[in-house]
Amino acid sequence: MDWTWFHKFGSPPHVYRLAGLLTPWFAWPAALLILGALYGGLVLAPPDYQQGDGFRIIYVHAPSAWLAVMIYAVMATAAGVGLIWRMKVAHAVAASCAGVGAWFTVVSLLTGMLWGKPMWGTYWVWDPRLTAQLILFFLYLGYMGLRASIDDTSRADRASAVLALVGVVNLPIIRYSVEWWNSIHQAPSVMKMDRPSMPFDMLAPLLAMLLGFTLYFGAVLLIRLRAEILRRERNASWIREELT
Amino acid sequence: MSDFFSMGGYAMFLWPAYAVTLLAIVINVYTARRDLQQARAEARRRLVAGRPSTADASDSALRVQS
């Protein structure tokens, strides 16, 4: 089997250039999908039979919560690859994930509070789903704090990778919390085994939003990754060719 | 139109939720682009300055040969 493609992904100049080329292919579809989904979710979708127009918070809440969890999975996978194959670029990917992930964890918590107040009568309860999501935020903070506290980059990479991998335990807890425990949080509407429990004009904007947010994260990650590679490779000779 | 903005009485919860999300989207693009520009500017400065300073010389096997 030809493994040259794998080695290319270990080459910082190759990844730096590739990331630059790919960024618009993520950014523009993301912008179009999110704008379309905004119109679909706020205007075209019918009000919910129980929650009225309040349900429309789902179009920002669910994609943010999805990003919070998905970014952590990407971060932990990259950290694991970096740890096992000693791949510097993978560590750079992991390091580039944390800040964005922390941001969208906060957004998912805040939009959830704003949804909880009118529907549950309270901004916050120590519910399994909500608590696990708060722990996810602390995991991101711990990961960034650990990185910041170690000066040597390769030591920071290894230590933070171990933390990221340990924290993976929290992901299935977030996912299945509403099924394992008696949660106040509503059950999944889309990602479940049988058909989604939504009519098409409610569902389509949500799916577009989920895909749009995912592509948006791809674009932001690629930009952050290029900055991270430049900082790490600041003494490498390829930078001269790249910048002149 | 005012029907749209009142969101069936949920305006005071719905619009802040959308605003917070939009803010996060904009800030993350802004900081990512700013970081990349700063990293590029820093790399250019080092190229103009010539050899990397001795403090960084051990960082990478591949050094700028000037």
Side-chain angles (χ1 to χ4, degrees):
Chain A
M1 192 171 170
D2 185 13
W3 283 95
T4 46
W5 63 272
F6 188 73
H7 292 291
K8 270 193 165 178
F9 282 104
S11 148
H14 177 75
V15 172
Y16 179 86
R17 281 173 209 129
L18 188 66
L21 289 173
L22 286 177
T23 305
W25 293 94
F26 283 80
W28 287 108
L32 291 175
L33 279 166
I34 291 172
L35 285 175
L38 265 183
Y39 184 72
L42 289 173
V43 181
L44 299 181
D48 182 67
Y49 81 107
Q50 277 184 326
Q51 302 191 3
D53 286 318
F55 99 94
R56 296 180 203 278
I57 293 176
I58 201 174
Y59 298 115
V60 287
H61 175 69
S64 313
W66 155 249
L67 270 199
V69 171
M70 192 269 285
I71 293 173
Y72 196 93
V74 171
M75 182 174 93
T77 306
V81 169
L83 214 52
I84 294 166
W85 285 288
R86 296 177 173 275
M87 198 188 249
K88 282 183 186 175
V89 175
H91 283 303
V93 170
S96 309
C97 284
V100 196
W103 258 101
F104 281 92
T105 311
V106 170
V107 170
S108 73
L109 288 167
L110 288 176
T111 55
M113 290 167 88
L114 287 162
W115 199 358
K117 182 64 179 169
M119 302 306 164
W120 305 337
T122 177
Y123 286 110
W124 186 263
V125 275
W126 292 101
D127 169 273
R129 168 61 69 83
L130 279 65
T131 308
Q133 190 77 356
L134 186 63
I135 291 171
L136 181 66
F137 176 59
F138 292 137
L139 280 170
Y140 278 123
L141 286 191
Y143 179 93
M144 291 189 288
L146 185 59
R147 287 207 77 92
S149 69
I150 304 174
D151 286 333
D152 180 63
T153 309
S154 60
R155 276 192 58 219
D157 282 343
R158 272 175 281 140
S160 62
V162 172
L163 175 65
L165 287 171
V166 171
V168 168
V169 174
N170 193 40
L171 298 187
I173 297 180
I174 295 175
R175 173 66 180 81
Y176 293 106
S177 53
V178 292
E179 291 165 31
W180 291 343
W181 294 287
N182 247 325
S183 175
I184 192 174
H185 194 282
Q186 65 195 56
S189 312
V190 180
M191 295 192 203
K192 54 181 195 174
M193 294 308 280
D194 48 347
R195 284 180 347 112
S197 44
M198 273 183 167
F200 176 78
D201 37 2
M202 259 185 192
L203 181 64
L206 184 55
L207 294 178
M209 224 27 140
L210 288 166
L211 183 59
F213 270 55
T214 306
L215 293 173
Y216 162 84
F217 165 65
V220 170
L221 176 64
L222 290 170
I223 300 170
R224 288 173 63 103
L225 178 61
R226 296 182 86 200
E228 183 73 27
I229 288 176
L230 275 186
R231 282 193 293 268
R232 285 168 179 246
E233 295 282 299
R234 58 182 180 273
N235 293 328
S237 54
W238 63 267
I239 288 179
R240 172 177 292 277
E241 300 152 36
E242 196 58 44
L243 293 179
T244 50
Chain B
M1 203 62 188
S2 73
D3 263 9
F4 175 74
F5 287 109
S6 72
M7 276 291 155
Y10 290 104
M12 62 175 296
F13 303 105
L14 190 137
W15 295 121
Y18 275 74
V20 165
T21 311
L22 181 69
L23 186 74
I25 289 176
V26 171
I27 284 182
N28 275 289
V29 170
Y30 171 77
T31 53
R33 292 173 60 117
R34 189 200 55 195
D35 280 6
L36 180 55
Q37 275 162 13
Q38 281 174 357
R40 274 214 192 100
E42 171 63 22
R44 282 215 181 81
R45 258 198 304 281
R46 293 171 64 90
L47 287 175
V48 171
R51 286 187 165 279
S53 65
T54 47
D56 298 317
S58 60
D59 279 7
S60 173
L62 294 162
R63 283 211 274 144
V64 176
Q65 305 292 324
S66 53

